[in-house]
Amino acid sequence: MKVFESLSKYSWIRIGGAGEVLRPSSVDEFLECYGKGPIVGEGSNVLFRPTTKRIVSTKKLMKITRIGPNRIKAQCGVSNSTLLWFALKHSLGGIEYLASIPGSIGGAVFMNAGRGKKHKCDIGQRVVEVEFFDGAKFRGLSREDCGFSYRKSIFHESPNWMIISVTLALHRQIPEKTQEMIRTRKNNAFSVQDRIVPNLGTVFSAGYKHQVAFEGIRFGGIQWSRKTPNWMLNTGGGTYEDCFHLIKEIQCQHGTDLELEIRIC
């Protein structure tokens, strides 16, 4: 369950020092990891501090089942792509936008992942129940109690709560339609998303207003994307300090306080 390796493998921007990675493969093992480090899924929006020496990876918590005619229950480590193709296999739809969102279902619920704010389409709309561990016991929250809003949930207020599994309610949909929607979403997203080099995805939450002057701003190995607004790239050899400096530079030039959408662990 424990390995020692570079934490950069667990972040899409490929920044992180050597550390201990706990990789539970069962819920019981997951509970043993409670409080032992930040919980990381696919790491698509995670930036590790140099002081971080231990993390808990959910990548082996991959159980997924269909319960009832239109519901799916998935453990926190199930990737968005795996969830999407499982739904397609069972002729279920409603989450095709996940095709362009890297990450796991646990992270998707934590961040209430979805399309842009103007689309009013996010994973919280599909949640039936989230099962989690609060440090003392298992609990469950309904969608209404999860406090979903744009890129937020109640789990932001209680970061020590461990999301165990998520139950989603989808709708019946022929696989051919789902496949076409996935293909369209991927094509649209990849045409505007800068993925040539390691990246952190969307950096700031609501409130960011793009300026041409931001494009290509660089500090060390980290650069603000010229292609995708609000997007940070590691062009080679980037460090946490480079990221931190560039974030502060953008905030300063923006002229207003900006809340981070990325996680700094």
Side-chain angles (χ1 to χ4, degrees), residues 97-202:
Y97 54 86
L98 290 179
S100 64
I101 303 174
S104 61
I105 186 59
V109 168
F110 181 89
M111 293 294 299
N112 193 23
R115 298 189 65 185
K117 194 171 186 178
K118 65 180 181 180
H119 296 283
K120 298 180 180 180
C121 182
D122 54 59
I123 196 67
Q125 297 168 346
R126 293 291 177 178
V127 167
V128 176
E129 182 182 49
V130 179
E131 183 185 23
F132 67 98
F133 181 68
D134 66 3
K137 60 181 179 180
F138 286 101
R139 295 171 58 186
L141 288 177
S142 66
R143 176 178 65 250
E144 293 76 14
D145 293 329
C146 283
F148 289 120
S149 60
Y150 182 73
R151 299 299 181 266
K152 284 188 176 181
S153 70
I154 193 173
F155 298 98
H156 280 79
E157 302 168 11
S158 303
N160 291 328
W161 288 358
M162 297 169 63
I163 295 175
I164 304 295
S165 65
V166 180
T167 300
L168 304 172
L170 307 182
H171 58 248
R172 298 289 295 176
Q173 185 165 280
I174 60 172
E176 292 77 11
K177 181 177 180 180
T178 301
Q179 288 177 318
E180 179 58 31
M181 293 175 72
I182 290 173
R183 188 179 304 111
T184 299
R185 181 62 187 149
K186 279 186 174 181
N187 290 339
N188 289 344
F190 292 169
S191 68
V192 298
Q193 291 180 352
D194 203 338
R195 295 194 179 191
I196 299 300
V197 297
N199 67 83
L200 263 183
T202 301

Side-chain angles (χ1 to χ4, degrees), residues 3-10 16-21 23 53:
V3 296
F4 292 90
E5 57 186 338
S6 174
L7 301 188
S8 65
K9 297 179 180 179
Y10 295 84
E20 181 181 47
V21 182
R23 301 192 298 186
K53 300 300 180 184

